[in-house]
Amino acid sequence: KFVRGGTSEAMQMARDAYRLAKTDPALPRPWPQLAAYRLAHLSMREENLSVKSLRKIDELFRECCLDQFTHGLGPLARIYHLAVLCRLRTALRKKSEMDAINRIISDVFEKAIRETRQAVLLSERRNEEETQRGQSYDSRRRDLPDQRHSVT
């Protein structure tokens, strides 16, 4: 992880990576989404974020969540998106704005649940396939003659 060099250095590197990923000619997916995710994630670490900063982070998470499963980001980006939305809701003053954010939170929450379930099912399926491959290998190995006791 490149945060070890210091948060300000990491933030600058994340900003540069995001800018490069989006500059024409833009990099192909998933690079812009990964850069948006990393920048948003690091930005959440800053203290006393303004409403403007929280909205920018919200935009970054929206960008990286467009089609997550196609590009392997998984449900974590949605879960972090929920966190920024909740922080944004508490920073807002107008009831109409808070209500709008609540609707978005509800939508993102449903998507996060669905994607988490899909990720769990996919993981279970992979584990099952690996177990079956291992059992198949073991049964083939048992069928081979024992080479330890053969005389050559």
Side-chain angles (χ1 to χ4, degrees):
K1 304 253 178 177
F2 64 90
V3 176
R4 290 187 184 123
T7 302
S8 62
E9 289 177 36
M11 282 297 297
Q12 189 56 51
M13 290 174 70
R15 281 188 200 98
D16 291 344
Y18 179 72
R19 183 180 39 76
L20 287 171
K22 301 288 287 184
T23 302
D24 279 337
L27 293 175
R29 290 177 178 248
W31 301 111
Q33 291 73 23
L34 290 170
Y37 172 80
R38 192 63 184 143
L39 179 56
H41 186 263
L42 284 174
S43 296
M44 288 287 290
R45 295 181 181 186
E46 294 181 13
E47 293 181 29
N48 304 317
L49 290 166
S50 67
V51 169
K52 182 179 178 180
S53 296
L54 290 167
R55 288 192 190 279
K56 177 62 181 163
I57 296 168
D58 173 41
E59 289 174 24
L60 290 167
F61 276 122
R62 285 176 192 252
E63 181 179 341
C64 71
C65 291
L66 288 176
D67 57 356
Q68 280 178 296
F69 269 91
T70 306
H71 300 292
L73 289 176
L76 278 180
R78 287 245 196 252
I79 294 167
Y80 282 117
H81 191 195
L82 284 170
V84 76
L85 289 168
C86 289
R87 285 178 70 177
L88 181 57
R89 180 182 56 196
T90 61
L92 295 172
R93 300 288 177 241
K94 294 181 183 176
K95 183 177 179 347
S96 61
E97 290 178 326
M98 289 191 283
D99 290 343
I101 293 295
N102 282 334
R103 287 189 296 277
I104 295 168
I105 288 172
S106 179
D107 180 56
V108 172
F109 184 75
E110 290 300 320
K111 289 176 181 176
I113 289 171
R114 188 172 47 250
E115 290 174 1
T116 300
R117 286 181 179 147
Q118 289 172 341
V120 168
L121 289 172
L122 183 62
S123 177
E124 288 173 350
R125 194 174 310 131
R126 284 182 184 153
N127 289 340
E128 192 174 292
E129 289 170 359
E130 288 176 13
T131 300
Q132 288 173 353
R133 277 195 300 271
Q135 289 171 347
S136 174
Y137 173 78
D138 287 344
S139 68
R140 285 192 311 262
R141 207 174 83 212
R142 279 192 303 261
D143 293 342
L144 293 174
D146 189 356
Q147 299 295 321
R148 290 177 292 169
H149 301 295
S150 64
V151 179
T152 54

